[in-house]
Amino acid sequence: MALDDATLVVRARDGDTHAFEVLVRRYQGPMYRLALHMLASRGDAEDVVQEVFLTAWRRLGQLRDGRAFVGWLYRTTTNRCLNIIRARRPVTEADLDRRESIDAAGSPERAAQVSEQLIALAAALTRLTPEQRACWLLREVHGLSYEDIAGATGTTQTAVRGRIARARAQLAEAMSPWR
């Protein structure tokens, strides 16, 4: 029987390392994908995820509502990524984690086209502002609500909607050759 996040957080707060391991296994993949898409660097993404979960373990006692754990992870991951982006110029790295899309594409010609599209999308994402990129990824890739994105990025829902709209417009223009 799978336990819910709130129960696992309470148990982890009481020192149950197994409960925390379950939370890590449950959410390390989504946090890694978010960090990878934001930073375009596997090494940086791995470092961020490791730091986020270490911070979560150390500060678990500060989390008052166990149901807020996932939002807390998204907010912490997003903020760490934004700090790294602000500290350096983003570097485009071809995301080799697109095998699922390529394998599903069928023919080699279609696989090559999908690969080129994903590389173009990754490059277009690096041209967005860090805030736009974070909002777009949290919405389109991770499926978060505007309210959750506002909480994760420390802004208002109106600002989130605006950033996503601008990101969508820029990405649509950048991807227009692929239509």
Side-chain angles (χ1 to χ4, degrees):
M1 176 172 66
L3 297 174
D4 66 345
D5 292 348
T7 303
L8 290 168
V9 167
V10 169
R11 288 183 178 183
R13 209 181 301 155
D14 291 339
D16 183 347
T17 57
H18 177 70
F20 190 72
E21 287 174 20
V22 172
L23 289 167
V24 170
R25 276 187 259 117
R26 189 175 288 174
Y27 294 110
Q28 71 183 354
M31 295 308 117
Y32 173 75
R33 285 188 296 279
L34 173 61
L36 180 63
H37 288 296
M38 286 187 70
L39 300 171
S41 166
R42 290 177 186 271
D44 287 346
E46 290 168 357
D47 290 345
V48 163
V49 171
Q50 184 176 18
E51 290 173 24
V52 164
F53 281 105
L54 280 172
T55 300
W57 175 251
R58 288 182 187 132
R59 296 187 180 164
L60 207 52
Q62 297 173 5
L63 185 63
R64 299 188 198 271
D65 183 2
R67 294 172 297 191
F69 182 74
V70 177
W72 190 42
L73 283 179
Y74 273 109
R75 183 173 55 254
T76 305
T77 303
T78 300
N79 287 337
R80 291 216 189 245
C81 290
L82 288 172
N83 289 341
I84 290 172
I85 290 168
R86 288 180 188 122
R88 64 155 165 84
R89 297 187 92 178
V91 177
T92 302
E93 179 180 296
D95 180 12
L96 301 178
D97 195 26
R98 58 185 177 273
R99 279 174 260 134
E100 294 174 29
S101 297
I102 293 171
D103 291 345
S107 72
E109 295 83 17
R110 180 70 181 134
Q113 183 182 22
V114 168
S115 177
E116 289 175 26
Q117 288 172 335
L118 289 171
I119 290 169
L121 178 60
L125 282 170
T126 64
R127 291 191 293 273
L128 298 176
T129 67
E131 292 79 10
Q132 288 173 339
R133 186 178 331 147
C135 289
W136 186 87
L137 287 168
L138 289 169
R139 178 68 180 170
E140 301 300 336
V141 176
H142 294 272
L144 268 61
S145 68
Y146 290 113
E147 181 181 359
D148 291 341
I149 296 169
T153 58
T155 190
T156 65
Q157 288 185 46
T158 304
V160 167
R161 290 179 194 280
R163 288 174 181 166
I164 291 172
R166 286 187 295 279
R168 285 176 177 159
Q170 284 181 254
L171 291 172
E173 185 173 328
M175 299 304 291
S176 64
W178 297 101
R179 287 187 185 160

